[in-house]
Amino acid sequence: MSKPSPNGAAAEDQTGRFVVQPNGRVRPLSPHLQVWRFHLTMLGSILNRGAAVAMSVGILFVVAWLGALAFGPEAHEAFASVMGSPFGLLIWFGLTLAGAYHLTAGVRHLIWDAGAGLSPKAATTLTAVSLIAAAVIAVGFFAALFAAGKVTL
């Protein structure tokens, strides 16, 4: 890392990776895709945020379901027919997958918060395990629903 020069600019820095703050301190810019090589833990972080957004949008479907229940059997039947269609089941599966991944990524973060699994190899392994476990949970949940006859195509 370059040392700051007395005038507040990064000495010998030609990469543009430093910025002079209003208080005169020289700080590195936040890492981004132009600086860092893409790796699995980056994907895990991006997917975790995406899962949170998907679940935030998905709550609208749950509220619509509760509204349909409140408006009576006809409204509930109409909602169930739309959300029980193949497209509706795809939405529910996506929300299940988002919830499962958010759960497994949360467990991964708890492990990291405990100070374990922080080496690059261990972090990559934990990320891969969280991705695979989320898929297994979501597929297993829907397989159980189909096997019990609660969901049909």
Side-chain angles (χ1 to χ4, degrees), residues 40-41 44 97 100-109 111-112 121-137:
L40 192 61
T41 53
L97 185 59
Y101 181 67
H102 203 63
L103 171 72
T104 59
V107 170
R108 182 185 75 211
H109 278 274
I111 293 169
W112 286 345
K121 184 177 181 179
T124 300
T125 301
L126 278 173
T127 302
V129 167
S130 68
L131 288 165
I132 293 166
V136 167
I137 290 169

Side-chain angles (χ1 to χ4, degrees), residues 55-139:
M55 290 187 306
S56 296
V57 171
I59 197 70
L60 298 174
F61 290 101
V62 174
V63 169
W65 172 64
L66 291 173
L69 283 173
F71 281 106
E74 298 85 19
H76 180 262
E77 183 60 36
F79 179 83
S81 68
V82 171
M83 295 311 290
S85 70
F87 182 69
L89 291 176
L90 183 64
I91 290 172
W92 289 124
F93 179 77
L95 291 173
T96 302
L97 185 59
Y101 181 67
H102 203 63
L103 171 72
T104 59
V107 170
R108 182 185 75 211
H109 278 274
L110 285 174
I111 293 169
W112 286 345
D113 289 345
L118 295 174
S119 72
K121 184 177 181 179
T124 300
T125 301
L126 278 173
T127 302
V129 167
S130 68
L131 288 165
I132 293 166
V136 167
I137 290 169
V139 169

Side-chain angles (χ1 to χ4, degrees), residues 17-91:
R17 293 185 186 166
F18 293 89
V19 65
V20 179
Q21 293 180 326
N23 64 6
R25 292 184 177 154
V26 178
R27 296 282 190 224
L29 288 174
S30 297
H32 48 79
L33 291 177
Q34 294 172 336
V35 176
W36 294 102
R37 183 174 44 91
F38 193 80
H39 50 89
L40 192 61
T41 53
M42 288 174 84
L43 176 65
S45 178
I46 293 165
L47 289 176
N48 195 26
R49 286 166 176 77
V53 169
M55 290 187 306
S56 296
V57 171
I59 197 70
L60 298 174
F61 290 101
V62 174
V63 169
W65 172 64
L66 291 173
L69 283 173
F71 281 106
E74 298 85 19
H76 180 262
E77 183 60 36
F79 179 83
S81 68
V82 171
M83 295 311 290
S85 70
F87 182 69
L89 291 176
L90 183 64
I91 290 172

